[in-house]
C-alpha cells in the first residue's frame, strides 16, 4: 500500500484550487486522483463561464468578492489569464414580485460592500443590452463588475501551479472505497490502481460527490442536475461584451462567447436518470423559440445542433456550498454543492478549505454558513429574493 498524506479526489476546478492553495501553504506530497483521462472532463469543462457577485445571501456575495479579488491577481499569482471580463450581469424583472426580489438582493449586496450593483430602468436596460426586447420588462438590476471567466483557464492555471509546487496528479484512477478506522477517520482509499494509505481526503467530486462520500458510509446531500446549453452558429450580430442577460421569472439567459450566442433555460433533468447529459431536441426548439421572442435579432441565426451540449450542476438543498470536515468523519473534507456557481467560487473556496485544513478554521472569511452540518441542524441558508 503506497502512502499519501493528503489525497484530493477529483481534479476539476475545485480539486485544482484546493491543491494549489494547500501547496502554497507548504503542504507537501499533495496527490490528486481523477477517474477521467485529463482536465476538464467533469462539469468545469462545460460551464458557461459566468461570474457574478449579485447574490441574495451575504456568504455568496462575500465568496464572490474574495474570488473576484483573486481573479484580478490570477495572472500575476498563477501565471495564466483567467479570462475575467467584467461585461456585467443584467437581471430583468417582468412582474412587481420579481422586481421586489431583485431589490431584496440589492440590499444584501450593498450591505456586503457591492456598491456598484444598481437598479436599472427599462431605458437603461435598452442601453446596456440593446438586443433584448423590453415590452414585457418593468425593470432590473445590473452589476458592471460581474461578467465572465474562462473555466478551463482557471482549472488549468491552478493545476499547473500546484504541480509546479510538487503536487502530483493521477488520471484514470477511480476511487472506489474509503476505509475508516474504529474512530471513524479515513485511513486508506481503495482505487482502481490499488490502495493508498492517507491522513486526509478532500472530496472534490462535483456532481458525483455523494457517491464518493457514500463509499465511506458518509451521507452527503448533493445531487446532480442536468443543465443544457444551446449554441448558435458564429455570428457578429451581438457585441462580444453583451452582459449575461437573465430573465428572473423563468431563468432564460444568454451570453456571447467566441462569436456565438449561448442560450440557456433551466428545466428538470431526465426522470430516473440523474446523471444523463444527453441534449433534448425538444428543449433546443423551446429555448430557441424563447430567444427569438426575447432577442429578435437571433431569428437570423441558426442553432448549431452539433455544438449544443449539457453537463451537471452539483445541487445542495439550499443551493449553497458545503465546506469543511464531514460530520462524523473529521478527515474527509468537503468542497461540494456549489449548485452551479462552482467555477466562479473555486478560487475562494479552495483558499478557504486550505485554511481550514491547515489551521482548523478559515481566516479570510467566516464560512460558518457553509458548515456541512447545517441541514441536520435544520438551519439551511435562505436567500433574499431569487438570486
Ligand atoms: C451547463 C453548465 C453551466 C455552468 N455554468 C457555470 C457558470 O457560468 N459559472 C460557474 O461558476 N459555474 C457554472 N457551472 C457549474 C460549474 O461547472 C461547477 O460548479 C464546477 O465545475 C464544479 O467543479 P468541481 O471541480 O467540483 O467538479 P468537476 O469539474 O465536475 O470535477 C469533478 C471531478 O471529479 C472526478 N470524479 C468524480 N468521482 C470520482 C471518483 N470516484 N474517483 C475519481 N475521480 C472522480 C470527475 O472525473 C471530475 O473530473 C455550470 C455547470 C454546467 C453543467
Amino acid at each position: 500500500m503506497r502512502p499519501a498524506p493528503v489525497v484530493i479526489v477529483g481534479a476539476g476546478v475545485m480539486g485544482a484550487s484546493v491543491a494549489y492553495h494547500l501547496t502554497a501553504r507548504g503542504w507537501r506530497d499533495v496527490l490528486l486522483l481523477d477517474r477521467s483521462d485529463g482536465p476538464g472532463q467533469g462539469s468545469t469543462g462545460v460551464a458557461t463561464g459566468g461570474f457574478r457577485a449579485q447574490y441574495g445571501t451575504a456568504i455568496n456575495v462575500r465568496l464572490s468578492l474574495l474570488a473576484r479579488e483573486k481573479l484580478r491577481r490570477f495572472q500575476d499569482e498563477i501565471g495564466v489569464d483567467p479570462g475575467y471580463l467584467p461585461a456585467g450581469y443584467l437581471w430583468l424583472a417582468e412582474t412587481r414580485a420579481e422586481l421586489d426580489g431583485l431589490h431584496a438582493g440589492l440590499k444584501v449586496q450593498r450591505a456586503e460592500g457591492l456598491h456598484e450593483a444598481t437598479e436599472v430602468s427599462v431605458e437603461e436596460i435598452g442601453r446596456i443590452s440593446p438586443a433584448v426586447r423590453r415590452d414585457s420588462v418593468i425593470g432590473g438590476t445590473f452589476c458592471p463588475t460581474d461578467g465572465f471567466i474562462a473555466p478551463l483557464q482557471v482549472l488549468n492555471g491552478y493545476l499547473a501551479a500546484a504541480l509546479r509546487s510538487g503536487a502530483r496528479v493521477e488520471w484514470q484512477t477511480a476511487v472506489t472505497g474509503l476505509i475508516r478506522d474504529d474512530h471513524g477517520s479515513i485511513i486508506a482509499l481503495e482505487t482502481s490502481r490499488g490502495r493508498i494509505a492517507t491522513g486526509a481526503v478532500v472530496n472534490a467530486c462535483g456532481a458525483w460527490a455523494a457517491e464518493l462520500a457514500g463509499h465511506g458510509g458518509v451521507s452527503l446531500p448533493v445531487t446532480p442536475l442536468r443543465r443544457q446549453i444551446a449554441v448558435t452558429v458564429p455570428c457578429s450580430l451581438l457585441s462580444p461584451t453583451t452582459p449575461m442577460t437573465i430573465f428572473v421569472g423563468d431563468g432564460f439567459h444568454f451570453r456571447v462567447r467566441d462569436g456565438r450566442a449561448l442560450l440557456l433555460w433551466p428545466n428538470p433533468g431526465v426522470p430516473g436518470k440523474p446523471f444523463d447529459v444527453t441534449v433534448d431536441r425538444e428543449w433546443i426548439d423551446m429555448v430557441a423559440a424563447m430567444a427569438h421572442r426575447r432577442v429578435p435579432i437571433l431569428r437570423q441565426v441558426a442553432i448549431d445542433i452539433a455544438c449544443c451540449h449539457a453537463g451537471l450542476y452539483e445541487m445542495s438543498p439550499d443551493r449553497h456550498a458545503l465546506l469543511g470536515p464531514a460530520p462524523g468523519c473529521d478527515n474527509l473534507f468537503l468542497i461540494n454543492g456549489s449548485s452551479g456557481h462552482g467555477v466562479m467560487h473555486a478560487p475562494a473556496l479552495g483558499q478557504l478549505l486550505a485554511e481550514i485544513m491547515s489551521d482548523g478554521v478559515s481566516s479570510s472569511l467566516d464560512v460558518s454558513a457553509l458548515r456541512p452540518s447545517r441541514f441536520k441542524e435544520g438551519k439551511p441558508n435562505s436567500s433574499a429574493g431569487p438570486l
Side-chain angles (χ1 to χ4, degrees), residues 131-132 235-238 291-292 294-301:
V132 177
C235 68
S236 52
L237 296 173
L238 293 170
H292 295 169
R294 285 163 163 174
V295 194
I297 205 167
L298 288 177
R299 290 177 193 158
Q300 302 170 38
V301 189

Side-chain angles (χ1 to χ4, degrees), residues 21 41 96 106 127 129 133 143 161 196 235 271 296 338:
H21 287 98
Q41 295 185 26
R96 189 67 236 175
L106 267 184
R127 284 195 291 276
S129 197
R133 199 164 145 181
C143 179
I196 300 173
C235 68
S338 280

Side-chain angles (χ1 to χ4, degrees), residues 333-353:
F333 294 92
L334 308 177
I335 182 162
N336 304 125
S338 280
S339 305
H341 315 137
V343 179
M344 66 181 90
H345 283 166
L349 291 173
Q351 173 176 315
L352 292 159
L353 189 63

Side-chain angles (χ1 to χ4, degrees), residues 80-98:
V80 170
D81 174 8
Y84 172 53
L85 174 69
Y89 254 63
L90 176 65
W91 295 87
L92 302 176
E94 294 172 294
T95 67
R96 189 67 236 175
E98 289 167 16

Side-chain angles (χ1 to χ4, degrees), residues 100-249:
D100 289 346
L102 291 177
H103 288 158
L106 267 184
K107 266 193 194 160
V108 174
Q109 294 149 26
R110 292 279 167 77
E112 298 309 320
L114 184 69
H115 298 294
E116 65 270 36
T118 53
E119 180 169 8
V120 283
S121 66
V122 176
E123 291 69 39
E124 287 167 312
I125 290 166
R127 284 195 291 276
I128 296 166
S129 197
V132 177
R133 199 164 145 181
R134 296 175 298 281
D135 42 8
S136 65
V137 174
I138 63 165
T141 57
F142 180 66
C143 179
T145 50
D146 287 353
F148 305 110
I149 51 178
L152 286 176
Q153 285 160 230
V154 177
L155 160 53
N156 287 323
Y158 275 140
L159 193 57
L163 299 184
R164 279 197 302 273
S165 301
R168 287 176 301 128
V169 59
E170 291 181 16
W171 302 105
Q172 298 178 327
T173 307
V175 175
T176 53
L178 301 175
I179 299 159
R180 299 171 68 180
D181 66 12
D182 293 344
H183 308 289
S185 299
I186 297 171
I187 49 170
L189 299 100
E190 207 72 76
T191 83
S192 54
R193 291 172 188 254
R195 201 175 261 204
I196 300 173
T198 189
V201 175
V202 175
N203 183 345
C205 287
W208 302 269
E211 179 189 286
L212 181 81
H215 289 322
V218 174
S219 155
L220 181 61
V222 173
T223 50
L225 178 61
R226 181 183 64 168
R227 281 285 169 263
Q228 305 175 77
I229 305 186
V231 183
T232 69
V233 296
C235 68
S236 52
L237 296 173
L238 293 170
S239 159
T241 55
T242 300
M244 183 78 93
T245 304
I246 307 180
F247 285 78
V248 175

